[in-house]
Each structure stands twice: as C-alpha cells, then as structure tokens.
Amino acid sequence: MSDILIRNIDTLITMDDDRRELTGVDLRLSGGVVAEIGQGLESGMAETVDARGCVVTPGLVNTHHHLYQSMTRAVPGAQDALLFGWLQKLYPIWAAMGPEEMFVSAQVGLAELALSGCTLSSDHLYLYPNGARLDDTIAAAREIGLRFHPTRGAMSIGESDGGLPPDSLVEREADILNDCIRVIDAHHDASVGAMVRVGIAPCSPFSVSRDLMRDAALLARDKGVMLHTHLAENEEDIAYSLAKFGCRPGQYAEELGWTGPDVWHAHCVKLDGAEIDLFARTRTGVAHCPCSNCRLGSGIAPVRAMRDAGVPVGLGVDGSASNDAGNLIAEARQSMLLQRVQNGADAMSPREALEIATRGGADVLGRPECGRVAVGKRADIAIWDTRGIESAGSWDPAALLLAGPSRVRDLFVEGRQVVSDGQLSTVDLGQLVEKQNRLAKRLAERT
Ligand SMILES: [Zn+2]
C-alpha cells in the first residue's frame, strides 16, 4: 500500500495527549500508522489528498451496535413501544433472519457508520437464528474495511423459563461458551493495529443465568478478550434487578466479575452515585447511546457525572431498531445536547463530545493506539469538508458538532481509503441498499 499525504489541512483536531489543534498542516500515513505531521511535507512517492477547507479528526469509534437490526428499522408496532414491549414485537421477526440477512445488514450498518466518520466499530450479536454466525458479520466488516470488534452475544433464558425471548432464539449455555471459544480462536487478534478483536457479551443480566455471566467472565480473562453487556438501561431494568437478584445492577456486575478495564457496559442510564464510583475505581467502561435512550424513553445517562468521576465513556449508536439511524457524528451531537438538557448549556462542549466519540471510545475498547492522531498511532482518519452549507457562516469550523457536515468527505482505516469524495470506495452502496430492501421485504412477508 502506498503512502498517503493529506495536505493543507485547515484544522487538525488531534485528540492527542495535549488535545492539540493544528492549522495549515500535512499528515503522512504510512504502513497503517500516522508517520509524520507537519507543514510542507515532501510528497515523494505518496498519493496526495488535498484537505484545503477541511477539518481532520481521528476516525470516530462506535462502542455499541446490533448491526443485524439495520434490517428492521422503523417497524410498525415497535415504533412507539417501551423497551420490553419493543423486544417482544421484534423477536419473532429477528427469529426469521439467517446468515444472508446478518451479512447484508451488517454491511449496511457499517457502511452508514463509515460515511458518518466511524473507523472502528464494535458489534453485539446475541441471536443466531437459522445458522447465522458471528463470522457472517466479520466477513461483512472485512469487505467494508472498518476495524471491527464483534462480540459473541447470547441469550439462554427463553419464554418457557420465564424469560422474554422466544425459545427459538435462546441457546444452551454450554453451546454458547463453546462457540465463544471457537470464534475467539478463529478471529481474535491481540496485536497492536489488529483489524478484528472478539469479545464475549451475554445479552443482558435478564436474558442469561448468573452462572453464564460468571463463566463468561472467567472465559474472557482466560482468553484475554473483553466483556460487554447491557446494564442499567431504564427503570424496568433496575426494578428487575432488585426483584430478581436483590441488588442493583452495579453490585450484580461486581459480584460476577463484570467490572474492570476489560469490561464495558452499554447504556448505564440509571447508574447511581455508588455505581459511578465503582466504575471509576475499577476503570469499567460505558457505551453511551443517547439517541437510543431518547427513542426508547429510557432517560438521560449521567455522562457528566461519569466523566467527572473518571469513568471511561465512549459513544454508541446502538442497534438500528432503536435509533433508527446509525450516524455516529449525529450521535455525538446528540450526546452533547442531552447533557445540556440535564445540566445546562456549559455541561458539555462540542470538543468534549467529539473527544468521547473518538479517543474516549478507543480507550473503552482497549485501543489506545486508535482514536487520536499522533505519530505512531493507527492511520484511522476522517476528513470533513467545512466548505458546505452546514458550516457556512461558522466562526469556528472545528466546532463540528455545532455547525458541520454529518457525512465525511474521505475516510481512512489503517491507511486504506474507505470513503472517497463522500462515496464508499470498497462496496457498491446502491447494490447494497437494493439487496437490504429486498431482504427486509421478504422478512416482512414471512413474519
Ligand atoms: Zn443495545
């Protein structure tokens, strides 16, 4: 792969350790990393990209998603339901999906993320109907070209055991653990700069047993992979935890080994002060999903308090059945606005929200070599054209989340171009959308 020289950058928001913002600089990408930052760099043999009139940032990091749900956006009957009712409407539809739907839906979700500036995404796949496998989504990510952290999710308590999902969507716990081992051995790459890292992720404390939660934590530590689940999402979630486990979700997590820098929990809307302290003390990460929390009426996560206490916080778009968009830069704007609703206009600046969306997310996923632009860090770069209508009249184009484009002009992952001039350069987007719509229609006819 040839070197890339990004020239004449108006503003480079580095998100490095000093949070430097550099003007009028060039950036050289070589061998998958940022090789050089400076003014008037020699182009040599490098392919050049002109970034005049552009703001350049680290690629955004998405810490929570269910890519398969891109196939079930805006489903009538689930548009206005609360979380549990929403799940009950959608489970039978998801149960009719298979490997092809998983692959195509993941490509759609990842393509949408790429166009909104995302270079690294995790995914939480917790149901495997009709022969679907985690491998289907890994193949999808490889083609789109994003850095990918798929997590092997699971549900084991079905309707007949008093659980929420239909029995056809739950698995035996021994099978779940065996498949976790299989996908880790097949796909997990622990090296710096890895394109795929696998995690273990039972769906939520109310969809698997206490034993599986504990065994999953033991297995993850044995294999050196990360742990992920949904936690403290809404009031129903807290009430369920108190009634069923006799404690709050944070305590349940701690008892079962689900705290630490190798763990991140999605939502955490209802964490109380003691739980925030616990997460800060143990460096347990949080995937904040503001649009989903708004969409499902779950509440406003205490992100200001978490950040002030030192909890690692990243951003997530969550699944497209509860957003229903998958635009990560728009999600970052939403996170900024929501903290202001709760805590006032000075509660979160556009730069801090962007930091959560880049460096914050990379740290939550255990990737300190991503999420910032500095020599030696991975060449995951987003270029935003601020000469368009969204930025016209802006006195501070680097305040992207106040007035800026919602799609990238160019995107590089590990130094490879994934978006070029606003178009996906790896996969034909028109064909992909057509395929997704055809499969969604077939799913609607069958269910
Ligand atoms: Zn979720």
Side-chain angles (χ1 to χ4, degrees), residues 374-442:
V375 171
K377 300 295 183 187
R378 307 321 295 182
D380 294 0
I381 305 291
I383 302 180
W384 308 88
D385 193 340
T386 50
R387 291 169 299 185
I389 186 77
E390 307 94 334
S391 308
S394 172
W395 290 35
D396 179 13
L400 281 176
L401 301 185
L402 286 176
S406 55
R407 276 171 81 146
V408 279
R409 192 193 76 179
D410 301 290
L411 188 79
F412 294 87
V413 181
E414 192 72 359
R416 175 188 182 211
Q417 192 147 18
V418 171
V419 177
S420 173
D421 204 16
Q423 302 297 318
L424 207 61
S425 37
T426 49
V427 164
D428 184 317
L429 196 62
Q431 283 180 14
L432 179 60
V433 169
E434 191 272 324
K435 214 185 293 177
Q436 169 95 331
N437 285 334
R438 184 162 39 81
L439 291 172
K441 189 159 171 264
R442 195 173 73 182

Side-chain angles (χ1 to χ4, degrees), residues 66-72 92-110 123 125 127-138 140 432 435-447:
H66 311 287
L67 289 166
Y68 78 90
Q69 293 179 3
S70 306
M71 190 71 72
T72 55
I93 302 174
W94 295 336
M97 294 176 75
E100 189 184 12
E101 284 84 1
M102 292 295 175
F103 176 82
V104 172
S105 192
Q107 286 213 325
V108 166
L110 291 166
D123 186 43
L125 181 57
L127 41 87
Y128 297 87
N130 307 304
R133 301 191 310 163
L134 194 69
D135 314 57
D136 303 323
T137 61
I138 295 170
L432 179 60
K435 214 185 293 177
Q436 169 95 331
N437 285 334
R438 184 162 39 81
L439 291 172
K441 189 159 171 264
R442 195 173 73 182
L443 209 53
E445 285 163 1
R446 266 195 266 149
T447 54

